[in-house]
Amino acid sequence: MADSGTKTYKAAKRYIYAWGAGKAEGNGEMKDLLGGKGAGLAEMTNAGLPTPPGFTITTEACNDYFGAGKQLPAGLWDDVLTAVKVVEQQTGKGLGDPKNPLLVSVRSGAKFSMPGMMDTVLNLGLNETTLQGLIASTGNERFGWDAYRRFISMFGRIVMDVPAHVVKGKDGTEVAYNRFDEALDAAKEKHGKDAKDTDLDVADLKKLVAEYKKIVKTTLSRDFPDDPNEQLDLAIKAVFGSWFGKRATDYRNSQKIAHDLGTAVNVVTMVFGNMGNDSGTGVAFTRDPNTGEKVLFGEYLVNAQGEDVVAGIRTPAKIAQLAQDMPKAYAEFKKIAEKLEKHYKDVQDLEFTIERGRLYMLQTRSAKRTAAAAVKIAIDMVKEKLITQEMALARIEPAQVDQLLRDQFDPRARATAKRIAKGLNASPGAAVGKAVFHADVAAAWAAKGEKVVLIREETSPDDFHGMAVAQGILTAKGGATSHAAVVARQIGKPCVAGCSELEVNYATKSVTANGVTIKEGDAVSLDGSTGEVFAGALPTVHARYEDQKDLQTVLGWADKVRRLQVWTNADKPEEAAQARSYGAQGIGLCRTEHMFREGERLAIVRSAILVANVATRAKAKLEAGQKLDAEEKKAVAQFDAAMAKLEALQQGDFEGILAAMSGLPVTIRLIDPPLHEFLPNLDDQLVKVTKAGPKATAKDLELLATIKSMHEQNPMLGLRGCRLGLMIPDFVKIQTRAILNAAIAVKKAKKDPHPKIMIPLVGHVNELEATHAILAAEAEKVVKAAGVKIDYEFGTMIEIPRACWVADEIAKRATFFSFGTNDLTQMTFGYSRDDAEGGFLLKYVEGIAVPGEKEPMKILPYNVFQSLDPVIVKEMKLAVELGRKTRPDLNVGICGEHGGDPASIKNCHDTNLNYVSCSPFRVPVARLAAAQAALAGPERDK
Ligand code: PEP
Ligand code: MG
């Protein structure tokens, strides 16, 4: 062993890395093996900072523990005892020593921070005998008994799994109460309504210890274990076990963290922040994680243990207060904080304890931060020359950009709104929803599609599933580093914490503040940016990108780095203009049929559709030199009149879009959906006609006949896209004319139009050949007649798997490809995109109960309509390679919904696409994601 020279480990693998006496066996780079906490403790020790001695049991040991059916790997326990011996030598204390007992904390610590999601046991090593030693060595009886009751409560709940006290409400909802907390609350209540845990005296604590032991005995039919070695063995296994606990699993699912990483276990010498008024404990950030401001930000409690700060049991003091209370410790802490930030080149989230005036560092890790703080810190650190622009870009999560563009309350409405309370602005954003008071209720209501705001006295990790689905979180207790605040910031939910004006009453399911009562189901609005709480539902307004100069600066850096262009999917001039202001470099998809449904247009479209088939057949007859009967002539006249109106209207639409995107490419897709989508529903029309009986009008009967004639069993695989254009060419002819005439008009107005005409749903090259022949002839006529030179192209969507296989043939005719990954996913998986997500697909993602499997089996790792499946990526690669074989300069993009998804954007980068196209609102996110893709190199998930 590097540090002691006296230990040798017995296990076949190196499972233990120790630190102490200024040296550590691990270092900050070893997060995979030691977890974030273990690596941070090793790094701090190596940097000469004061840490309490201890050791880390690796994540590999956790995986081997599960691999062996929940058995510690051979030799590991001996190695733990060896490592304990070294800690005993370094501290001069002994585990189980009746005179001078060593107490340790046993803490989880995975590679990625999972705040409060796994378990920690403090004060391990205490029993009735060592307690006397602790009391004698500290001379503080109250402290000893307090430490003991905390240990039993934590160990009882976490390690021994003492069941909660479940109370069933009238509505059938079950609420679980921690039995130890119930006993503690009862003891506190004897000292008055607002009594704190510090009000309990030795006699109270002794009683509480007896009570706690009784809880263990009655619920588990066994005694609380006294042997410190047994305690340690059980605690290590419990921390390993917590890796697959519900909370941790839910959290990893929500944060897309792999389940096979495992957690490390840190066994650390206890230092006590609750040894009197010269002791304390706290958490602090080297910069404000809400705003990004460069100030030491945090909270601490005098005479308290770590969990008191995080759990929000007492409202802590601001860290600046420490400068007054314990100036020496504060000065040292401030220096260490600065040193750590410089060392890690990032904002640090620190945990510390002061034991009788002596400072110990317990943790350092990169701080979670709000979106606004992430951007400000990135910019400030670049200015301070601490990091490069590239490093800054890698640090901002695409989801945070999304958060910055999230809704805020309408300032006019808020001016007159009924503000009922103000708490801490713990996580920004506006949240509106129905008040609920329990995480299970939040989850149940959200599953029914309700928007909820979760209101709690304080939150605990058990509430995560409710927080994850709530619009926002409101707590009465706890500070900016309480569980509610930390988790809300991380998952991007608005949160108002520590709102002490609130009186939360779980029994009546209501909250009262300043005379106003909000009951379960009542609307409530939270402003996480100001800490305000309003009764009722306030209207929200879009966050304005134009106002966000810092974000614009960062995205400007992203633009210098990224190779992928970012285009947008927009159907209207306003959308195009908005996307352009967000930085869109073109339109990748304009769905022309969206314009068919608006206002007066639907009637015109219907009038054309009603006679479309007859008129098309009649026109073919005419071309073949045959004569038409009166009915055919009438149909042609009706059809042509409607189509002429439609053409004029569409030309107006396209002029608007081409003008808004002057100088940039605009991809306009020809009609895609089946025509019956523009007609009334078959069942509704049938009911109408049936109800009317003999009084049914001729018009209704004709409509019914048309709907029936167009009805398809599988319209998504039926007469749509280019197939429709080939059957009724006039639809696409008028669209081509409208596009080119619009371009001509825009050009005449001294703007610079670049239309790209896109043919949808091509599966066979002949479909493209035939469509192209019809359209190219039409286009030529228009341009020739106008005598104006227009830059236009014909390309196609690649959205049918077969098209990927024949992309080389398709590229002979198409000058650009755009992947329609919505359809490509639908047709590759055979999942109906209209039905799957509301049906089996989300169950596939959540997991299905399978015999012999403890956990539900996930059929899919994620929703493949949101994020590209690897097989779709393979199909895209095939199409790109084949297409560019024929046409090396083939321009290729994506316009399916995946185009705005950061993970899919990385796939698009790696597949050498030219651009991604996404909804206007996602353009800024895509700019950053494209830059990150370029910075991360070619492989995914590097
Ligand atoms: C697609 O299929 O991915 C696509 C963009 O087209 P639509 O969603 O309109 O079918
Ligand atoms: Mg499609």
Side-chain angles (χ1 to χ4, degrees), residues 651 654-655 658 668 733-747 753-757 775-784 786 788 790-794:
Q651 183 177 324
F654 299 145
E655 280 176 26
L658 288 167
I668 301 176
K733 278 190 203 166
I734 65 145
Q735 288 196 303
T736 305
R737 286 202 299 266
I739 293 166
L740 290 167
N741 281 321
I744 290 161
V746 169
K747 187 136 192 192
H754 295 273
K756 289 160 81 88
I757 301 172
L775 303 187
E778 206 65 26
E780 238 169 72
K781 267 191 265 168
V782 175
V783 174
K784 216 172 187 178
V788 177
I790 292 290
D791 164 38
Y792 69 94
E793 291 180 56
F794 284 105

mmCIF file of all heavy atoms in Angstrom, residues 651 654-655 658 668 733-747 753-757 775-784 786 788 790-794:
data_model
loop_
_atom_site.group_PDB
_atom_site.id
_atom_site.type_symbol
_atom_site.label_atom_id
_atom_site.label_comp_id
_atom_site.label_asym_id
_atom_site.label_seq_id
_atom_site.Cartn_x
_atom_site.Cartn_y
_atom_site.Cartn_z
ATOM 1 N N GLN A 651 -49.821 30.699 -53.156
ATOM 2 C CA GLN A 651 -48.762 31.594 -53.632
ATOM 3 C C GLN A 651 -48.513 32.706 -52.608
ATOM 4 O O GLN A 651 -47.372 33.056 -52.313
ATOM 5 C CB GLN A 651 -49.132 32.188 -54.997
ATOM 6 C CG GLN A 651 -47.995 33.057 -55.528
ATOM 7 C CD GLN A 651 -48.272 33.609 -56.916
ATOM 8 O OE1 GLN A 651 -48.877 32.929 -57.739
ATOM 9 N NE2 GLN A 651 -47.821 34.827 -57.160
ATOM 10 N N PHE A 654 -46.509 31.307 -49.721
ATOM 11 C CA PHE A 654 -45.101 31.076 -50.051
ATOM 12 C C PHE A 654 -44.350 32.398 -50.210
ATOM 13 O O PHE A 654 -43.187 32.494 -49.852
ATOM 14 C CB PHE A 654 -44.985 30.224 -51.329
ATOM 15 C CG PHE A 654 -45.609 28.851 -51.199
ATOM 16 C CD1 PHE A 654 -46.239 28.235 -52.274
ATOM 17 C CD2 PHE A 654 -45.568 28.172 -49.980
ATOM 18 C CE1 PHE A 654 -46.813 26.972 -52.145
ATOM 19 C CE2 PHE A 654 -46.148 26.908 -49.845
ATOM 20 C CZ PHE A 654 -46.771 26.307 -50.931
ATOM 21 N N GLU A 655 -45.024 33.397 -50.731
ATOM 22 C CA GLU A 655 -44.354 34.709 -50.840
ATOM 23 C C GLU A 655 -43.913 35.170 -49.459
ATOM 24 O O GLU A 655 -42.800 35.663 -49.265
ATOM 25 C CB GLU A 655 -45.299 35.751 -51.464
ATOM 26 C CG GLU A 655 -45.366 35.635 -52.973
ATOM 27 C CD GLU A 655 -46.367 36.606 -53.596
ATOM 28 O OE1 GLU A 655 -46.638 37.660 -52.987
ATOM 29 O OE2 GLU A 655 -46.880 36.288 -54.682
ATOM 30 N N LEU A 658 -40.941 32.940 -48.258
ATOM 31 C CA LEU A 658 -39.707 33.169 -49.023
ATOM 32 C C LEU A 658 -39.128 34.549 -48.711
ATOM 33 O O LEU A 658 -37.913 34.729 -48.644
ATOM 34 C CB LEU A 658 -39.979 33.023 -50.525
ATOM 35 C CG LEU A 658 -40.233 31.580 -50.997
ATOM 36 C CD1 LEU A 658 -40.802 31.570 -52.416
ATOM 37 C CD2 LEU A 658 -38.944 30.758 -50.948
ATOM 38 N N ILE A 668 -39.868 23.442 -49.449
ATOM 39 C CA ILE A 668 -41.327 23.353 -49.390
ATOM 40 C C ILE A 668 -41.734 21.965 -49.856
ATOM 41 O O ILE A 668 -41.388 21.546 -50.966
ATOM 42 C CB ILE A 668 -41.969 24.443 -50.284
ATOM 43 C CG1 ILE A 668 -41.495 25.832 -49.805
ATOM 44 C CG2 ILE A 668 -43.494 24.328 -50.252
ATOM 45 C CD1 ILE A 668 -41.967 26.984 -50.661
ATOM 46 N N LYS A 733 -49.157 20.047 -59.261
ATOM 47 C CA LYS A 733 -48.860 21.064 -60.289
ATOM 48 C C LYS A 733 -49.148 22.456 -59.762
ATOM 49 O O LYS A 733 -48.360 23.379 -59.930
ATOM 50 C CB LYS A 733 -49.724 20.811 -61.533
ATOM 51 C CG LYS A 733 -49.166 19.752 -62.454
ATOM 52 C CD LYS A 733 -49.969 19.783 -63.745
ATOM 53 C CE LYS A 733 -49.895 18.488 -64.499
ATOM 54 N NZ LYS A 733 -50.888 18.368 -65.549
ATOM 55 N N ILE A 734 -50.327 22.620 -59.143
ATOM 56 C CA ILE A 734 -50.648 23.980 -58.662
ATOM 57 C C ILE A 734 -49.666 24.403 -57.570
ATOM 58 O O ILE A 734 -49.310 25.570 -57.456
ATOM 59 C CB ILE A 734 -52.107 24.132 -58.148
ATOM 60 C CG1 ILE A 734 -52.338 23.273 -56.906
ATOM 61 C CG2 ILE A 734 -53.145 23.935 -59.209
ATOM 62 C CD1 ILE A 734 -53.275 23.931 -55.913
ATOM 63 N N GLN A 735 -49.192 23.437 -56.775
ATOM 64 C CA GLN A 735 -48.245 23.799 -55.716
ATOM 65 C C GLN A 735 -46.911 24.242 -56.325
ATOM 66 O O GLN A 735 -46.323 25.227 -55.878
ATOM 67 C CB GLN A 735 -48.037 22.620 -54.766
ATOM 68 C CG GLN A 735 -49.265 22.374 -53.887
ATOM 69 C CD GLN A 735 -48.946 21.485 -52.692
ATOM 70 O OE1 GLN A 735 -48.469 20.369 -52.884
ATOM 71 N NE2 GLN A 735 -49.197 21.980 -51.503
ATOM 72 N N THR A 736 -46.471 23.523 -57.347
ATOM 73 C CA THR A 736 -45.218 23.913 -58.005
ATOM 74 C C THR A 736 -45.348 25.313 -58.601
ATOM 75 O O THR A 736 -44.465 26.156 -58.449
ATOM 76 C CB THR A 736 -44.872 22.904 -59.123
ATOM 77 O OG1 THR A 736 -44.842 21.610 -58.536
ATOM 78 C CG2 THR A 736 -43.546 23.206 -59.769
ATOM 79 N N ARG A 737 -46.473 25.541 -59.252
ATOM 80 C CA ARG A 737 -46.680 26.881 -59.853
ATOM 81 C C ARG A 737 -46.708 27.949 -58.751
ATOM 82 O O ARG A 737 -46.096 29.005 -58.884
ATOM 83 C CB ARG A 737 -47.991 26.909 -60.642
ATOM 84 C CG ARG A 737 -47.928 26.156 -61.956
ATOM 85 C CD ARG A 737 -49.006 26.633 -62.915
ATOM 86 N NE ARG A 737 -50.352 26.427 -62.404
ATOM 87 C CZ ARG A 737 -51.103 25.345 -62.666
ATOM 88 N NH1 ARG A 737 -50.628 24.378 -63.443
ATOM 89 N NH2 ARG A 737 -52.317 25.236 -62.185
ATOM 90 N N ALA A 738 -47.428 27.638 -57.667
ATOM 91 C CA ALA A 738 -47.541 28.627 -56.587
ATOM 92 C C ALA A 738 -46.165 28.949 -56.003
ATOM 93 O O ALA A 738 -45.843 30.109 -55.729
ATOM 94 C CB ALA A 738 -48.471 28.102 -55.496
ATOM 95 N N ILE A 739 -45.338 27.919 -55.838
ATOM 96 C CA ILE A 739 -43.996 28.141 -55.260
ATOM 97 C C ILE A 739 -43.169 29.018 -56.188
ATOM 98 O O ILE A 739 -42.555 30.008 -55.768
ATOM 99 C CB ILE A 739 -43.276 26.780 -55.029
ATOM 100 C CG1 ILE A 739 -44.006 25.973 -53.936
ATOM 101 C CG2 ILE A 739 -41.816 27.002 -54.649
ATOM 102 C CD1 ILE A 739 -43.593 24.501 -53.878
ATOM 103 N N LEU A 740 -43.168 28.664 -57.479
ATOM 104 C CA LEU A 740 -42.295 29.408 -58.397
ATOM 105 C C LEU A 740 -42.815 30.817 -58.666
ATOM 106 O O LEU A 740 -42.040 31.767 -58.726
ATOM 107 C CB LEU A 740 -42.092 28.612 -59.681
ATOM 108 C CG LEU A 740 -41.223 27.370 -59.395
ATOM 109 C CD1 LEU A 740 -41.255 26.397 -60.541
ATOM 110 C CD2 LEU A 740 -39.783 27.771 -59.080
ATOM 111 N N ASN A 741 -44.118 30.948 -58.791
ATOM 112 C CA ASN A 741 -44.656 32.307 -58.972
ATOM 113 C C ASN A 741 -44.397 33.162 -57.726
ATOM 114 O O ASN A 741 -44.138 34.365 -57.828
ATOM 115 C CB ASN A 741 -46.144 32.258 -59.297
ATOM 116 C CG ASN A 741 -46.362 31.918 -60.768
ATOM 117 O OD1 ASN A 741 -45.622 32.390 -61.638
ATOM 118 N ND2 ASN A 741 -47.354 31.087 -61.069
ATOM 119 N N ALA A 742 -44.450 32.528 -56.548
ATOM 120 C CA ALA A 742 -44.135 33.274 -55.315
ATOM 121 C C ALA A 742 -42.677 33.724 -55.358
ATOM 122 O O ALA A 742 -42.351 34.874 -55.034
ATOM 123 C CB ALA A 742 -44.383 32.393 -54.096
ATOM 124 N N ALA A 743 -41.801 32.814 -55.765
ATOM 125 C CA ALA A 743 -40.372 33.159 -55.831
ATOM 126 C C ALA A 743 -40.151 34.305 -56.806
ATOM 127 O O ALA A 743 -39.367 35.233 -56.538
ATOM 128 C CB ALA A 743 -39.564 31.932 -56.249
ATOM 129 N N ILE A 744 -40.873 34.250 -57.937
ATOM 130 C CA ILE A 744 -40.728 35.317 -58.948
ATOM 131 C C ILE A 744 -41.176 36.652 -58.353
ATOM 132 O O ILE A 744 -40.486 37.675 -58.473
ATOM 133 C CB ILE A 744 -41.536 34.945 -60.219
ATOM 134 C CG1 ILE A 744 -40.834 33.779 -60.923
ATOM 135 C CG2 ILE A 744 -41.689 36.142 -61.154
ATOM 136 C CD1 ILE A 744 -41.708 33.014 -61.904
ATOM 137 N N ALA A 745 -42.315 36.631 -57.665
ATOM 138 C CA ALA A 745 -42.823 37.878 -57.059
ATOM 139 C C ALA A 745 -41.850 38.412 -56.014
ATOM 140 O O ALA A 745 -41.586 39.619 -55.947
ATOM 141 C CB ALA A 745 -44.191 37.616 -56.430
ATOM 142 N N VAL A 746 -41.300 37.515 -55.215
ATOM 143 C CA VAL A 746 -40.364 37.938 -54.152
ATOM 144 C C VAL A 746 -39.101 38.502 -54.780
ATOM 145 O O VAL A 746 -38.540 39.511 -54.332
ATOM 146 C CB VAL A 746 -40.055 36.742 -53.211
ATOM 147 C CG1 VAL A 746 -38.895 37.044 -52.278
ATOM 148 C CG2 VAL A 746 -41.306 36.383 -52.399
ATOM 149 N N LYS A 747 -38.660 37.852 -55.846
ATOM 150 C CA LYS A 747 -37.455 38.339 -56.526
ATOM 151 C C LYS A 747 -37.714 39.730 -57.108
ATOM 152 O O LYS A 747 -36.859 40.625 -57.021
ATOM 153 C CB LYS A 747 -37.070 37.369 -57.632
ATOM 154 C CG LYS A 747 -35.757 37.703 -58.261
ATOM 155 C CD LYS A 747 -34.913 36.484 -58.467
ATOM 156 C CE LYS A 747 -33.496 36.934 -58.814
ATOM 157 N NZ LYS A 747 -32.694 35.849 -59.286
ATOM 158 N N PRO A 753 -35.060 34.842 -53.083
ATOM 159 C CA PRO A 753 -35.692 33.564 -52.725
ATOM 160 C C PRO A 753 -34.899 32.346 -53.220
ATOM 161 O O PRO A 753 -34.324 32.389 -54.308
ATOM 162 C CB PRO A 753 -37.036 33.641 -53.462
ATOM 163 C CG PRO A 753 -36.733 34.481 -54.671
ATOM 164 C CD PRO A 753 -35.635 35.438 -54.305
ATOM 165 N N HIS A 754 -34.877 31.288 -52.388
ATOM 166 C CA HIS A 754 -34.214 30.027 -52.779
ATOM 167 C C HIS A 754 -35.121 28.844 -52.481
ATOM 168 O O HIS A 754 -34.893 28.110 -51.527
ATOM 169 C CB HIS A 754 -32.895 29.863 -52.016
ATOM 170 C CG HIS A 754 -31.887 30.903 -52.363
ATOM 171 N ND1 HIS A 754 -31.014 30.791 -53.409
ATOM 172 C CD2 HIS A 754 -31.644 32.100 -51.785
ATOM 173 C CE1 HIS A 754 -30.255 31.870 -53.479
ATOM 174 N NE2 HIS A 754 -30.626 32.689 -52.500
ATOM 175 N N PRO A 755 -36.169 28.650 -53.277
ATOM 176 C CA PRO A 755 -37.076 27.536 -52.983
ATOM 177 C C PRO A 755 -36.462 26.182 -53.339
ATOM 178 O O PRO A 755 -35.770 26.062 -54.345
ATOM 179 C CB PRO A 755 -38.286 27.833 -53.876
ATOM 180 C CG PRO A 755 -37.739 28.635 -55.005
ATOM 181 C CD PRO A 755 -36.583 29.421 -54.462
ATOM 182 N N LYS A 756 -36.727 25.212 -52.501
ATOM 183 C CA LYS A 756 -36.316 23.825 -52.778
ATOM 184 C C LYS A 756 -37.592 22.999 -52.697
ATOM 185 O O LYS A 756 -38.232 22.941 -51.638
ATOM 186 C CB LYS A 756 -35.315 23.354 -51.721
ATOM 187 C CG LYS A 756 -33.944 24.024 -51.842
ATOM 188 C CD LYS A 756 -33.165 23.927 -50.550
ATOM 189 C CE LYS A 756 -32.484 22.609 -50.350
ATOM 190 N NZ LYS A 756 -31.129 22.509 -50.915
ATOM 191 N N ILE A 757 -37.976 22.410 -53.799
ATOM 192 C CA ILE A 757 -39.252 21.694 -53.836
ATOM 193 C C ILE A 757 -39.002 20.227 -53.457
ATOM 194 O O ILE A 757 -38.165 19.560 -54.061
ATOM 195 C CB ILE A 757 -39.891 21.822 -55.232
ATOM 196 C CG1 ILE A 757 -40.110 23.323 -55.529
ATOM 197 C CG2 ILE A 757 -41.198 21.036 -55.319
ATOM 198 C CD1 ILE A 757 -40.564 23.626 -56.935
ATOM 199 N N LEU A 775 -43.549 17.701 -62.632
ATOM 200 C CA LEU A 775 -43.265 18.978 -61.970
ATOM 201 C C LEU A 775 -42.246 19.820 -62.716
ATOM 202 O O LEU A 775 -42.380 21.050 -62.819
ATOM 203 C CB LEU A 775 -42.767 18.735 -60.544
ATOM 204 C CG LEU A 775 -43.724 17.924 -59.668
ATOM 205 C CD1 LEU A 775 -43.221 17.879 -58.246
ATOM 206 C CD2 LEU A 775 -45.112 18.531 -59.701
ATOM 207 N N ALA A 776 -41.211 19.142 -63.235
ATOM 208 C CA ALA A 776 -40.155 19.901 -63.908
ATOM 209 C C ALA A 776 -40.740 20.622 -65.121
ATOM 210 O O ALA A 776 -40.402 21.786 -65.396
ATOM 211 C CB ALA A 776 -39.025 18.966 -64.316
ATOM 212 N N ALA A 777 -41.641 19.926 -65.842
ATOM 213 C CA ALA A 777 -42.251 20.536 -67.023
ATOM 214 C C ALA A 777 -43.047 21.773 -66.614
ATOM 215 O O ALA A 777 -42.972 22.838 -67.249
ATOM 216 C CB ALA A 777 -43.162 19.521 -67.707
ATOM 217 N N GLU A 778 -43.791 21.643 -65.523
ATOM 218 C CA GLU A 778 -44.611 22.747 -65.024
ATOM 219 C C GLU A 778 -43.723 23.934 -64.618
ATOM 220 O O GLU A 778 -44.004 25.086 -64.942
ATOM 221 C CB GLU A 778 -45.405 22.241 -63.801
ATOM 222 C CG GLU A 778 -46.687 22.974 -63.529
ATOM 223 C CD GLU A 778 -47.722 22.798 -64.631
ATOM 224 O OE1 GLU A 778 -47.690 21.777 -65.341
ATOM 225 O OE2 GLU A 778 -48.541 23.726 -64.798
ATOM 226 N N ALA A 779 -42.638 23.593 -63.911
ATOM 227 C CA ALA A 779 -41.735 24.636 -63.409
ATOM 228 C C ALA A 779 -41.111 25.399 -64.567
ATOM 229 O O ALA A 779 -41.038 26.631 -64.555
ATOM 230 C CB ALA A 779 -40.653 23.999 -62.548
ATOM 231 N N GLU A 780 -40.665 24.648 -65.547
ATOM 232 C CA GLU A 780 -40.022 25.283 -66.694
ATOM 233 C C GLU A 780 -40.954 26.289 -67.362
ATOM 234 O O GLU A 780 -40.560 27.403 -67.701
ATOM 235 C CB GLU A 780 -39.646 24.211 -67.711
ATOM 236 C CG GLU A 780 -38.167 24.201 -68.030
ATOM 237 C CD GLU A 780 -37.810 22.964 -68.817
ATOM 238 O OE1 GLU A 780 -38.185 22.914 -70.003
ATOM 239 O OE2 GLU A 780 -37.214 22.038 -68.210
ATOM 240 N N LYS A 781 -42.222 25.842 -67.514
ATOM 241 C CA LYS A 781 -43.225 26.719 -68.150
ATOM 242 C C LYS A 781 -43.326 28.035 -67.396
ATOM 243 O O LYS A 781 -43.293 29.118 -67.986
ATOM 244 C CB LYS A 781 -44.608 26.027 -68.146
ATOM 245 C CG LYS A 781 -44.896 25.245 -69.409
ATOM 246 C CD LYS A 781 -46.362 24.829 -69.457
ATOM 247 C CE LYS A 781 -46.544 23.419 -68.914
ATOM 248 N NZ LYS A 781 -47.898 23.000 -68.662
ATOM 249 N N VAL A 782 -43.450 27.946 -66.078
ATOM 250 C CA VAL A 782 -43.659 29.147 -65.254
ATOM 251 C C VAL A 782 -42.471 30.085 -65.374
ATOM 252 O O VAL A 782 -42.610 31.287 -65.612
ATOM 253 C CB VAL A 782 -43.874 28.762 -63.760
ATOM 254 C CG1 VAL A 782 -43.963 30.003 -62.894
ATOM 255 C CG2 VAL A 782 -45.118 27.916 -63.611
ATOM 256 N N VAL A 783 -41.284 29.526 -65.219
ATOM 257 C CA VAL A 783 -40.077 30.359 -65.207
ATOM 258 C C VAL A 783 -39.866 30.998 -66.579
ATOM 259 O O VAL A 783 -39.520 32.177 -66.679
ATOM 260 C CB VAL A 783 -38.854 29.519 -64.756
ATOM 261 C CG1 VAL A 783 -37.573 30.319 -64.876
ATOM 262 C CG2 VAL A 783 -39.062 29.039 -63.334
ATOM 263 N N LYS A 784 -40.109 30.197 -67.597
ATOM 264 C CA LYS A 784 -39.947 30.704 -68.963
ATOM 265 C C LYS A 784 -40.903 31.868 -69.201
ATOM 266 O O LYS A 784 -40.494 32.926 -69.697
ATOM 267 C CB LYS A 784 -40.234 29.588 -69.959
ATOM 268 C CG LYS A 784 -39.340 29.668 -71.179
ATOM 269 C CD LYS A 784 -39.572 28.424 -71.984
ATOM 270 C CE LYS A 784 -38.603 28.320 -73.136
ATOM 271 N NZ LYS A 784 -38.856 27.081 -73.843
ATOM 272 N N ALA A 786 -42.221 33.855 -67.108
ATOM 273 C CA ALA A 786 -41.909 35.059 -66.327
ATOM 274 C C ALA A 786 -40.640 35.721 -66.811
ATOM 275 O O ALA A 786 -40.425 36.919 -66.593
ATOM 276 C CB ALA A 786 -41.780 34.687 -64.859
ATOM 277 N N VAL A 788 -37.759 35.303 -65.622
ATOM 278 C CA VAL A 788 -36.923 35.670 -64.463
ATOM 279 C C VAL A 788 -36.108 34.445 -64.069
ATOM 280 O O VAL A 788 -36.612 33.328 -64.074
ATOM 281 C CB VAL A 788 -37.822 36.090 -63.266
ATOM 282 C CG1 VAL A 788 -36.984 36.392 -62.033
ATOM 283 C CG2 VAL A 788 -38.675 37.279 -63.640
ATOM 284 N N ILE A 790 -34.674 31.966 -61.604
ATOM 285 C CA ILE A 790 -34.953 31.572 -60.213
ATOM 286 C C ILE A 790 -34.068 30.390 -59.854
ATOM 287 O O ILE A 790 -33.932 29.440 -60.631
ATOM 288 C CB ILE A 790 -36.446 31.168 -60.057
ATOM 289 C CG1 ILE A 790 -37.345 32.380 -60.231
ATOM 290 C CG2 ILE A 790 -36.724 30.491 -58.725
ATOM 291 C CD1 ILE A 790 -37.271 33.386 -59.096
ATOM 292 N N ASP A 791 -33.476 30.473 -58.635
ATOM 293 C CA ASP A 791 -32.658 29.374 -58.167
ATOM 294 C C ASP A 791 -33.567 28.378 -57.446
ATOM 295 O O ASP A 791 -33.980 28.618 -56.327
ATOM 296 C CB ASP A 791 -31.597 29.942 -57.202
ATOM 297 C CG ASP A 791 -30.948 28.866 -56.361
ATOM 298 O OD1 ASP A 791 -30.718 27.775 -56.904
ATOM 299 O OD2 ASP A 791 -30.694 29.116 -55.163
ATOM 300 N N TYR A 792 -33.945 27.301 -58.134
ATOM 301 C CA TYR A 792 -34.777 26.304 -57.468
ATOM 302 C C TYR A 792 -34.244 24.909 -57.734
ATOM 303 O O TYR A 792 -33.503 24.685 -58.683
ATOM 304 C CB TYR A 792 -36.250 26.402 -57.915
ATOM 305 C CG TYR A 792 -36.512 25.981 -59.349
ATOM 306 C CD1 TYR A 792 -36.899 24.681 -59.651
ATOM 307 C CD2 TYR A 792 -36.388 26.898 -60.378
ATOM 308 C CE1 TYR A 792 -37.142 24.300 -60.960
ATOM 309 C CE2 TYR A 792 -36.622 26.523 -61.697
ATOM 310 C CZ TYR A 792 -36.997 25.232 -61.985
ATOM 311 O OH TYR A 792 -37.223 24.842 -63.279
ATOM 312 N N GLU A 793 -34.633 23.986 -56.840
ATOM 313 C CA GLU A 793 -34.150 22.601 -56.950
ATOM 314 C C GLU A 793 -35.286 21.644 -56.663
ATOM 315 O O GLU A 793 -36.245 22.021 -55.987
ATOM 316 C CB GLU A 793 -33.115 22.315 -55.858
ATOM 317 C CG GLU A 793 -31.803 22.994 -55.970
ATOM 318 C CD GLU A 793 -30.922 22.579 -54.777
ATOM 319 O OE1 GLU A 793 -30.710 21.365 -54.583
ATOM 320 O OE2 GLU A 793 -30.493 23.476 -54.036
ATOM 321 N N PHE A 794 -35.128 20.407 -57.138
ATOM 322 C CA PHE A 794 -36.047 19.342 -56.737
ATOM 323 C C PHE A 794 -35.286 18.311 -55.915
ATOM 324 O O PHE A 794 -34.203 17.876 -56.295
ATOM 325 C CB PHE A 794 -36.623 18.618 -57.971
ATOM 326 C CG PHE A 794 -37.682 19.403 -58.670
ATOM 327 C CD1 PHE A 794 -37.426 20.036 -59.877
ATOM 328 C CD2 PHE A 794 -38.949 19.505 -58.114
ATOM 329 C CE1 PHE A 794 -38.399 20.769 -60.530
ATOM 330 C CE2 PHE A 794 -39.939 20.239 -58.770
ATOM 331 C CZ PHE A 794 -39.656 20.872 -59.981
#
